[in-house]
Amino acid sequence: GNSVTQMEGPVTLSEEAFLTINCTYTATGYPSLFWYVQYPGEGLQLLLKATKADDKGSNKGFEATYRKETTSFHLEKGSVQVSDSAVYFCALTPYSSASKIIFGSGTRLSIRP
Amino acid sequence: SQTIHQWPATLVQPVGSPLSLECTVEGTSNPNLYWYRQAAGRGLQLLFYSVGIGQISSEVPQNLSASRPQDRQFILSSKKLLLSDSGFYLCAWSLGQETQYFGPGTRLLVL
């Protein structure tokens, strides 16, 4: 079946540190891959996406590359800020049923000033 | 531009009471609509989705139901709430199989 596995949190970093949040997936065919972010007390916002192998999604300094050979979509940012503190969800939509999103369990990120 | 609204933002209800959460979308027509639940410290679980008025698909058996009385209105209901219904409820919309966009959520606490 289709599933998403992401690193467990919480992750705590100092401001300006390098961030990596790992995400791997299991899916048949060619899913689309997403990162969503949830700031405290709010709903989810789409952060970035990639729809085919080797695509790189980017937004607000975050990047993730769709790696089919390793079935991964790791989220990275070169220099994090306190305002990046949030919960990050990796997700996929299966090729066969793209109206359904399958989410990972989320990774809570806290950035210290 | 499109916007999605949910209300109420926060709700505290006793066990056994009814529930009605509303979601409306503006600025688009014939969207797909979704209800998700996020339990404390956990990921999101798809509860219902709808591709049109009166068309509801349920993803998990549960104490809740959904209805879509109008094109851009999606309602989540229960006749009798359980303690396990507590959580953060998110509504989302998409156009066909495109990216889903989420509302601000409703935090429900059942006591």
Side-chain angles (χ1 to χ4, degrees):
Chain A
N2 300 300
S3 66
V4 175
T5 302
Q6 59 182 107
M7 63 188 292
E8 292 192 18
V11 173
T12 303
L13 296 172
S14 297
E15 204 165 21
E16 299 183 0
F18 183 86
L19 168 71
T20 300
I21 300 178
N22 290 337
C23 171
T24 57
Y25 67 90
T26 302
T28 54
Y30 298 89
S32 294
L33 302 175
F34 305 82
W35 278 100
Y36 282 84
V37 58
Q38 184 178 30
Y39 297 104
E42 299 182 11
L44 272 70
Q45 301 176 25
L46 177 66
L47 180 60
L48 53 84
K49 68 177 182 181
T51 57
K52 61 183 187 293
D54 299 326
D55 268 3
K56 178 185 284 187
S58 61
N59 185 26
K60 299 182 180 180
F62 291 89
E63 293 183 340
T65 301
Y66 188 142
R67 301 286 188 199
K68 188 164 177 61
E69 63 276 14
T70 54
T71 62
S72 65
F73 194 53
H74 304 321
L75 183 68
E76 296 182 336
K77 186 173 185 181
S79 176
V80 292
Q81 306 301 313
V82 172
S83 57
D84 293 326
S85 298
V87 181
Y88 292 82
F89 292 91
C90 187
L92 68 83
T93 56
Y95 180 77
S96 61
S97 182
S99 60
K100 300 183 185 182
I101 292 184
I102 296 169
F103 285 91
S105 57
T107 301
R108 183 175 300 279
L109 173 66
S110 296
I111 306 300
R112 295 187 299 253
Chain B
S1 64
Q2 300 87 1
T3 55
I4 179 169
H5 304 279
Q6 287 186 244
W7 64 88
T10 305
L11 188 61
V12 181
Q13 291 284 96
V15 169
S17 63
L19 173 74
S20 180
L21 302 182
E22 189 163 343
C23 170
T24 58
V25 180
E26 296 177 356
T28 188
S29 295
N30 196 32
N32 288 350
L33 296 172
Y34 311 83
W35 277 112
Y36 291 85
R37 176 170 56 205
Q38 183 179 25
R42 300 179 64 180
L44 280 79
Q45 180 183 40
L46 178 63
L47 302 176
F48 302 95
Y49 73 95
S50 170
V51 299
I53 296 174
Q55 300 179 61
I56 308 295
S57 296
S58 174
E59 290 296 297
V60 294
Q62 59 200 309
N63 183 43
L64 302 169
S65 63
S67 62
R68 185 171 178 173
Q70 300 180 37
D71 180 46
R72 291 170 288 179
Q73 183 184 31
F74 205 24
I75 297 173
L76 184 69
S77 304
S78 174
K79 292 182 179 178
K80 288 186 178 182
L81 282 169
L82 306 172
L83 287 174
S84 57
D85 291 325
S86 294
F88 192 45
Y89 289 83
L90 289 161
C91 182
W93 71 272
S94 70
L95 289 179
Q97 297 178 342
E98 296 298 318
T99 303
Q100 294 186 19
Y101 297 93
F102 287 79
T106 294
R107 193 167 302 281
L108 172 66
L109 179 60
V110 182
L111 300 174

